[in-house]
């Protein structure tokens, strides 16, 4: 394993903290700083994927970025020990179990299945696995979750998330995440953690971060570049020209800052994905209900090992996590550990059984009275985009990008309204 000086002690594992610009006080929740409004320039930068890690959406509030680890994947051939990888993860899971993590979020993929099996080994008969029943959940993975639970000998708790609840819970989920959402999956997670806490879960293990440290999706960088360009093209349609002209958007959002010169592009991209997309609904969405989520794949003891593995032992024939999948063969059934990664982005309104309810919500929050206060959005252009969107079929190639933008705009309007009117936030 090769480490570059300045390596972080807990790589990629936490969210940046907020602080008021006039103070050095750092807080976990931005609402405790009582921001007065969103910063217009930050809103434009956010929609164009040009918001710097130290900047926040909120006026007079900055973020304290988490240091990016400087760990280099070494070309050590194919003799790297799978036993060392599994031991590192088992030890990490065991430490969490010993401190009270007796619940596991079980999607049915290889990452959560491995956590479930290891936790059951460390605490036989004491582990509960939790699954989410929502319309966009993968049917094969849900079936696999039941298989894993039976094999591990753990209790399985299935949490139904009715589609009718998703639109009504969007605002609460946005406020809990303290950032704009891109699809209904984050809302479903918010409801899932609400129900899990009510049913007695207090500390839960999550497989978040496994893809990022184990090259679970080998095409992630290529796909991310395409999504960023699509997002920027659509954002320019709804932003006022002055907002676009004032921002440079040619750099990738994970381009290195001056203090990240030693970090690889893979690690910088992983940090961006986790910070902006994965961790807010996983960590903040659970914490607001008093549920603590632990992410063993992002713990330093495991992540340092995983990030040092050469690509040659992780990617075979386009399938990621090869060494990891081989290492867990005695823990996870073959149909689970060998299943290919299928990224899903949970397109919201068009594919939803309650489509009209979502569109009604979008129209209400994209009204000029909601968007004008953001200063950089053209309300007419936003409504025109919405009308184009409503005429699309759910499988139209352009539907996903338009839905991501519309939900971001709705989320930003919700955040701004909360700042202005101090409506009760989930923490209170």
């Amino acid at each position: 394993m090769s480490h570059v000086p300045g390596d972080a002690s807990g790589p990629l594992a936490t969210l940046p903290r907020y602080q008021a610009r006039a103070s050095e006080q750092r807080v976990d929740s931005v609402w405790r700083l009582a921001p007065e409004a969103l910063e217009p320039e930050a809103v434009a930068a956010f929609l164009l994927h040009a918001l710097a890690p130290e900047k926040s959406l909120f006026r007079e509030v900055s973020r304290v970025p988490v240091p990016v680890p400087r760990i280099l994947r070494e070309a050590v051939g194919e003799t790297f020990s799978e036993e060392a990888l599994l031991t590192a993860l088992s030890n990490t899971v065991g430490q969490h179990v010993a401190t009270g993590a007796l619940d596991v979020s079980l999607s049915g993929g290889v990452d959560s299945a491995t956590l479930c099996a290891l936790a059951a080994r460390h605490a036989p008969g004491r582990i509960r696995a939790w699954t989410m029943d929502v319309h966009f959940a993968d049917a094969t993975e849900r079936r696999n979750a039941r298989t894993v639970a039976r094999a591990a000998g753990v209790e399985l708790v299935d949490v139904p998330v009715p589609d009718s609840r998703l639109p009504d819970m969007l605002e609460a989920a946005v406020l809990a995440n303290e950032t704009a959402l891109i699809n209904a999956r984050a809302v479903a997670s918010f409801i899932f953690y609400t129900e899990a806490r009510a049913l007695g879960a207090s500390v839960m293990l999550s497989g978040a971060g496994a893809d990022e440290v184990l090259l679970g999706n080998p095409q992630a960088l290529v796909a991310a570049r395409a999504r960023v360009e699509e997002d920027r093209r659509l954002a320019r349609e709804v932003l006022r020209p002055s907002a676009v002209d004032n921002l440079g958007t040619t750099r990738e959002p994970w381009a290195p800052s001056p203090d990240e010169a030693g970090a690889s592009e893979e690690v910088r991209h992983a940090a961006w994905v986790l910070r902006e997309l994965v961790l807010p609904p996983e960590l903040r969405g659970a914490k607001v209900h008093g549920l603590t989520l632990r992410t063993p794949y992002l713990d330093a003891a495991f992540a340092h090992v995983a990030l040092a593995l050469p690509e040659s032992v992780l990617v075979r024939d386009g399938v990621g996590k090869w060494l990891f999948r081989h290492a867990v063969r005695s823990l996870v059934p073959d149909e689970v550990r060998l299943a290919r990664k299928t990224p899903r982005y949970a397109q919201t309104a068009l594919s939803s059984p309650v489509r009209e309810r979502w569109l009604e919500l979008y129209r209400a929050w994209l009204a000029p009275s909601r968007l004008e206060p953001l200063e950089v959005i053209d309300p007419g252009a936003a409504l025109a985009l919405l009308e184009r969107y409503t005429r699309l079929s759910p499988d139209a190639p352009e539907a996903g990008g338009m839905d991501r933008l519309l939900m971001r705009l709705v989320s930003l309007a919700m955040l701004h309204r909360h700042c202005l009117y101090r409506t009760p936030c989930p923490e209170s």
Side-chain angles (χ1 to χ4, degrees):
M1 186 189 311
S2 175
H3 295 260
V4 176
D7 178 34
S9 60
L12 309 179
T14 57
L15 289 168
R17 292 172 177 262
Y18 292 106
Q19 67 179 20
R21 290 179 184 163
S23 168
E24 290 302 314
Q25 180 187 15
R26 299 181 183 183
V27 295
D28 291 324
S29 170
V30 70
W31 303 122
R32 293 176 185 167
L33 293 174
E36 297 181 356
L38 298 192
E39 177 61 51
E41 184 175 324
V43 168
F46 175 79
L47 293 175
L48 292 167
H49 292 294
L51 186 65
E54 70 275 8
K55 303 290 186 181
S56 90
L57 288 167
F58 303 91
R59 189 170 295 169
E60 299 300 322
V61 174
S62 60
R63 296 191 293 185
V64 182
V66 177
V68 175
R70 274 77 160 169
I71 303 174
L72 305 178
R73 296 196 184 278
E74 288 186 313
V76 295
E78 300 181 8
T79 59
F80 191 90
S81 170
E82 63 190 57
E83 182 181 353
L85 182 65
L86 186 57
T87 298
L89 183 59
S90 180
N91 290 342
T92 298
V93 171
Q95 290 170 4
H96 285 300
V97 169
T99 57
L102 300 176
D103 295 289
V104 181
S105 176
L106 181 60
S107 68
V110 64
D111 310 321
S112 61
T114 301
L115 294 185
C116 184
L118 288 174
R121 282 192 174 185
H122 286 286
R126 300 170 59 203
I127 300 299
R128 284 188 300 180
W130 300 75
T131 61
M132 177 168 61
D133 182 8
V134 66
H135 89 271
F136 47 72
D138 184 84
T140 299
E141 287 197 346
R142 282 180 53 74
R143 184 172 61 251
N144 288 345
R146 293 191 290 272
T147 299
V148 168
R150 283 195 302 269
V154 303
E155 177 187 354
L156 183 65
V157 184
D158 199 29
V159 177
V161 179
D163 296 288
S164 58
R165 290 191 65 190
L166 295 173
D168 293 335
M169 295 301 291
L170 174 60
E171 186 172 5
V174 167
L175 297 183
N177 280 260
E178 301 174 355
T179 190
L181 305 183
I182 63 171
N183 57 44
R185 186 167 294 276
V187 187
S189 293
F190 180 78
I191 297 171
F192 170 74
Y193 293 131
T194 304
E195 298 302 321
R197 185 70 185 98
L199 292 171
S202 58
V203 184
M204 183 178 288
L205 299 181
S206 165
D211 280 342
E212 285 67 38
V213 299
L214 287 166
L215 287 176
N217 182 6
Q219 298 302 314
L221 263 174
V222 174
R225 290 190 181 102
R227 286 199 306 276
V228 165
E229 286 309 307
E230 182 181 29
D231 288 351
R232 286 173 170 171
R233 177 182 59 79
L234 289 169
R236 291 186 185 103
E237 291 188 22
V238 301
L239 286 168
R240 298 188 187 280
S242 58
V244 177
D245 294 343
N246 289 340
L247 293 168
T249 57
T250 57
R251 300 171 74 232
E252 291 166 334
W254 54 87
S257 60
D259 63 340
E260 294 176 343
S264 68
E265 182 181 31
E266 178 206 339
V267 169
R268 286 186 276 104
H269 169 259
W272 176 74
V273 169
L274 291 168
R275 180 182 67 239
E276 303 297 337
L277 303 176
V278 174
L279 291 182
E282 286 293 303
L283 301 185
R284 292 188 187 131
K287 183 180 179 181
V288 77
H289 302 299
L291 177 61
T292 299
L293 235 64
R294 305 272 179 84
T295 53
Y297 291 104
L298 296 176
D299 279 12
F302 179 77
H304 277 120
V305 174
L307 287 170
L309 291 173
E311 184 175 341
S312 62
V313 302
L314 288 175
V315 180
R316 295 288 174 89
D317 299 323
V319 179
K321 300 177 189 163
W322 183 84
L323 184 70
F324 177 73
R325 294 174 191 272
H326 193 63
V328 303
R329 63 191 181 279
S330 64
L331 290 170
V332 179
D334 286 352
E335 63 266 33
V336 180
R337 73 180 184 89
L338 299 177
R340 285 179 175 267
K341 177 71 177 179
T342 306
R344 296 179 301 280
Y345 298 102
Q347 189 173 298
T348 299
L350 297 184
S351 60
S352 172
V354 290
R355 167 184 170 132
E356 291 308 315
R357 177 70 187 93
W358 276 112
L359 294 178
E360 177 187 349
L361 184 70
Y362 282 9
R363 289 190 182 95
W365 282 97
L366 297 177
S369 61
R370 302 284 197 187
L371 294 183
E372 286 286 4
L374 296 174
E375 300 184 28
V376 292
I377 306 297
D378 180 342
L383 287 173
L385 180 73
L386 175 60
E387 291 310 308
R388 278 168 45 206
Y389 173 75
T390 61
R391 294 192 292 270
L392 295 177
S393 65
D395 57 353
E398 62 270 38
M402 293 173 72
D403 194 73
R404 288 195 301 272
L405 176 57
L406 291 169
M407 184 164 274
R408 280 191 167 112
L409 291 174
V410 169
S411 299
L412 291 167
M414 289 174 170
L415 290 169
H416 191 72
R417 181 185 181 279
H418 180 70
C419 290
L420 292 178
Y421 297 104
R422 300 293 191 273
T423 52
C425 69
E427 282 194 350
S428 62

